[in-house]
Amino acid sequence: MDRLSLMKILPDAFIEGTMDDISIQIVWIWEQIKAPLIVPLLRAAVAICLTMSLMLFIERVYMGIVITFVKLFGRKPEKRYKWEPLKDDAELGNSAFPMVLVQIPMFNEREVYKLSIGAVCGLSWPRDRMFIQVLDDSTDQAIKEMVELECHRWASQGINIKYEIRDNRTGYKAGALKEGLTRSYARDCDYVVIFDADFQPEPDFLRRTIPFLVHNPELALIQARWIFVNADECLLTRLQEMSLDYHFTVEQEVGSSTYSFFGFNGTAGVWRIAAINEAGGWKDRTTVEDMDLAVRAGLKGWKFLYLGDLKVKSELPSTLKAFRHQQHRWSCGPANLFRKMMMEIITNKTVSLWKKVYVIYSFFLVRKIVGHIVSFTFYCVVLPLTVLIPEVEVPKWGVIYIPSIITILNAVGTPRSFHLLFFWILFENVMSMHRTQATFIGLLEAGRSVNEWIVTEKLGGVLKAKPRRSRFRFGERFHSLELTIGVFLFFCGCYDYAFGKNHYFIYLLLQSIAFFIVGVGYVGTIVPNT
């Protein structure tokens, strides 16, 4: 009896329980649910993914047009806002300079604490008009002693530097910054500058930023651009540089030029303390306290200015573990903040309707949610499933043209890494799995990790100075989720090679290799265990 004849009589045999061939039973069940259930569901998934791709495509093209216009015809910040250098006054002396507080939050920063403290103490500003505040939440007593000793060393040279500690880590970074502003000497300051422990500002940082705030009372925030001292350390850091350069070169510049609004990056920025207070101060309700404050201040009508020409050196996470923790925080936090603030944004009466649309649609929905979800669900789940279910087709424009244009537009921020674009695509798709998971955790407030704060590990070049033998640990290097997705994509690629007609197997097999490489932890710097 051939297979087709058997399939015709299978329902009766299956009901009567006389058929023992489980494989044929599975085939029959699949055929029964495929047409009425699986195919419509997959078509709906394709339609949703194509809609999200179009949203992301339109956003990227819009920002590309705006940034082109800004670069060709836009006025420089010094022309858009009043800017005059602050000078010593013969009668007033240094009192012509406003009081500035510089905060350096730290947590067990053994490798980099000297970098930020030294750079900040070298800022060109009258010593009697600046307080430096090292907010040390370290739990390692030895590190706390080293940081305190470094502060005392600079204090002995006449620098107004204060070493501040707390009894607990309540609120994490937001809690430390908030408590720092309550100190008596901080209340005399007009502006606060924030640098994370691995940031190294140039001496003229304050002289280039503070005048904007002094002469333009509507401005609340001046944000500088990050550059990376270890971008060439490994492929992982090069790929991060590509993503972050686009964020600073395009996203921040567009937000600053169009609506005078963008997300504070948490460091390398100067705030007007009055704006912080009016917005309600630092809050620790999400893992993105910086973005939370920026959105609340923006809804109060304050304006922000991004200075792309002002660059501050920093360090990229060079280990896969540190990078994954950072990406979880950066993906979960904005989604959770969107959940908490959406109605507040909608009902706000201070800002214009167009600015509210920009914040809700462009800033939050497309960039912080859709961008993460579509990268994984479409290219790593839905598209591979269409290989197994050929009744569902994906139009060429959705598979080739739109992703290609989006990718090219993303590459404009780092021309020197254009040859790495192919690796960047594969790696971003792998990381989009974690970002998608974190995004849903934030939107649904599911699990303890929604407010989990893990400080990004900084190495400060320690591996170059002290090379050591690495000790292999199975659990730390192998990642089951990446390996599982890799197996799924590899199977779909092989199936498409044998039976498909769209040549998706070229992408699927390469993407599966990327998942396998990340799955075995062969990415970034391998930190020796001590």
Side-chain angles (χ1 to χ4, degrees):
M1 182 182 296
D2 60 20
R3 188 179 185 86
L4 184 59
S5 301
L6 185 60
M7 288 300 298
K8 292 180 179 178
I9 68 170
L10 182 58
D12 294 333
F14 183 66
I15 294 173
E16 295 172 3
T18 59
M19 178 58 68
D20 295 327
D21 191 341
I22 297 178
S23 63
I24 297 180
Q25 294 178 19
I26 294 174
V27 170
W28 177 81
I29 294 173
W30 172 253
E31 291 296 333
Q32 295 302 305
I33 66 173
K34 181 179 177 181
L37 180 62
I38 303 299
V39 171
L41 284 177
L42 187 56
R43 283 178 177 157
V46 169
I48 293 172
C49 289
L50 289 176
T51 301
M52 290 192 293
S53 293
L54 281 173
M55 293 170 64
L56 191 61
F57 171 75
I58 293 171
E59 176 71 10
R60 290 290 188 268
V61 171
Y62 159 74
M63 288 195 293
I65 293 172
V66 173
I67 198 63
T68 300
F69 181 85
V70 169
K71 295 298 182 183
L72 294 178
F73 309 107
R75 294 183 300 167
K76 293 185 176 181
E78 294 81 1
K79 301 294 183 181
R80 291 166 50 204
Y81 294 95
K82 182 179 180 181
W83 188 91
E84 294 179 359
L86 299 177
K87 300 178 181 179
D88 292 328
D89 189 281
E91 297 181 358
L92 299 177
N94 288 340
S95 60
F97 290 80
M99 292 292 296
V100 176
L101 174 67
V102 184
Q103 293 182 315
I104 311 175
M106 291 190 175
F107 178 75
N108 293 337
E109 308 286 2
R110 177 189 297 272
E111 310 299 345
V112 296
Y113 71 95
K114 287 186 178 181
L115 298 178
S116 57
I117 293 177
V120 168
C121 289
L123 289 172
S124 175
W125 200 256
R127 292 187 175 184
D128 61 336
R129 308 299 292 174
M130 176 176 68
F131 286 101
I132 300 171
Q133 196 178 63
V134 177
L135 305 169
D136 191 7
D137 274 356
S138 298
T139 54
D140 188 315
Q141 186 60 36
I143 296 177
K144 293 176 72 172
E145 292 174 359
M146 289 189 294
V147 175
E148 185 176 14
L149 184 63
E150 182 71 5
C151 292
H152 289 328
R153 186 174 73 84
W154 283 103
S156 66
Q157 300 179 30
I159 303 295
N160 283 329
I161 184 168
K162 307 290 184 180
Y163 177 74
E164 303 286 358
I165 60 174
R166 300 188 292 165
D167 295 332
N168 54 67
R169 293 188 65 210
T170 302
Y172 302 109
K173 182 179 177 179
L177 295 173
K178 182 178 182 179
E179 187 164 324
L181 290 176
T182 64
R183 297 294 187 263
S184 58
Y185 56 87
R187 298 187 190 125
D188 297 328
C189 296
D190 303 300
Y191 310 106
V192 58
V193 192
I194 302 168
F195 293 111
D196 283 350
D198 58 309
F199 277 71
Q200 305 168 57
E202 295 297 326
D204 64 347
F205 182 90
L206 295 179
R207 292 185 179 270
R208 295 179 62 181
T209 55
I210 297 297
F212 281 108
L213 296 169
V214 170
H215 299 304
N216 302 276
E218 72 276 19
L219 285 177
L221 167 67
I222 309 296
Q223 175 69 59
R225 178 178 175 175
W226 302 357
I227 57 173
F228 312 104
V229 297
N230 65 331
D232 295 324
E233 182 173 339
C234 59
L235 183 59
L236 175 61
T237 54
R238 286 291 295 271
L239 299 180
Q240 289 179 70
E241 181 191 39
M242 293 176 68
S243 299
L244 288 171
D245 277 354
Y246 177 82
H247 167 70
F248 284 105
T249 305
V250 179
E251 291 181 344
Q252 297 295 73
E253 190 71 72
V254 168
S256 177
S257 301
T258 54
Y259 294 97
S260 299
F261 172 83
F262 49 83
F264 174 44
N265 294 117
T267 178
V270 188
W271 276 96
R272 188 186 302 273
I273 294 180
I276 295 177
N277 294 334
E278 184 181 347
W282 293 102
K283 293 185 178 181
D284 60 357
R285 56 182 175 174
T286 70
T287 57
V288 283
E289 75 295 322
D290 43 14
M291 186 182 296
D292 189 345
L293 176 60
V295 173
R296 286 184 282 113
L299 293 178
K300 292 291 185 180
W302 289 99
K303 294 183 178 182
F304 307 157
L305 176 63
Y306 170 70
L307 299 180
D309 293 333
L310 181 58
K311 302 174 182 179
V312 181
K313 291 184 289 186
S314 63
E315 180 180 324
L316 290 165
S318 59
T319 66
L320 180 61
K321 180 181 179 181
F323 181 62
R324 287 176 62 178
H325 285 314
Q326 182 197 68
Q327 293 304 298
H328 177 88
R329 191 172 75 244
W330 287 3
S331 302
C332 179
N336 190 231
L337 181 63
F338 180 58
R339 170 193 172 104
K340 295 179 184 298
M341 293 202 66
M342 183 173 64
M343 291 308 301
E344 183 178 344
I345 298 171
I346 293 174
T347 57
N348 181 269
K349 304 296 183 181
T350 303
V351 300
S352 66
L353 174 63
W354 287 113
K355 186 169 183 177
K356 289 193 285 187
V357 171
Y358 172 79
V359 174
I360 293 175
Y361 178 79
S362 296
F363 182 75
F364 274 117
L365 184 61
V366 177
R367 299 183 204 170
K368 312 301 182 186
I369 298 175
V370 168
H372 299 327
I373 294 175
V374 72
S375 297
F376 176 66
T377 56
F378 190 24
Y379 301 110
C380 300
V381 178
V382 174
L383 186 62
L385 286 176
T386 63
V387 170
L388 305 179
I389 306 175
E391 292 88 343
V392 180
E393 295 185 357
V394 182
K396 289 284 191 297
W397 59 265
V399 180
I400 300 173
Y401 304 131
I402 283 183
S404 299
I405 295 174
I406 290 175
T407 301
I408 293 172
L409 290 174
N410 270 290
V412 299
T414 317
R416 79 183 188 102
S417 297
F418 192 81
H419 63 289
L420 299 175
L421 198 56
F422 182 72
F423 299 100
W424 179 81
I425 296 170
L426 298 178
F427 181 70
E428 281 294 295
N429 285 344
V430 175
M431 293 309 302
S432 69
M433 177 182 68
H434 296 286
R435 296 182 184 125
T436 299
Q437 182 183 25
T439 298
F440 280 114
I441 289 174
L443 285 174
L444 303 176
E445 288 195 333
R448 292 180 299 174
S449 62
V450 67
N451 286 318
E452 183 182 29
W453 180 280
I454 299 177
V455 176
T456 304
E457 179 186 28
K458 295 107 179 176
L459 300 180
V462 65
L463 294 181
K464 298 178 182 179
K466 295 179 287 186
R468 294 171 296 202
R469 186 181 299 276
S470 177
R471 187 170 62 209
F472 177 79
R473 289 187 179 179
F474 184 89
E476 293 181 358
R477 289 286 301 276
F478 281 77
H479 309 289
S480 59
L481 200 53
E482 284 88 344
L483 293 173
T484 301
I485 299 296
V487 170
F488 167 69
L489 292 175
F490 183 78
F491 171 78
C492 292
C494 292
Y495 187 91
D496 185 66
Y497 177 78
F499 306 107
K501 58 182 179 180
N502 293 317
H503 302 291
Y504 290 161
F505 68 88
I506 299 174
Y507 157 72
L508 292 173
L509 293 178
L510 290 171
Q511 188 65 70
S512 70
I513 293 173
F515 270 95
F516 286 137
I517 292 174
V518 177
V520 298
Y522 200 70
V523 176
T525 302
I526 307 301
V527 180
N529 297 305
T530 56

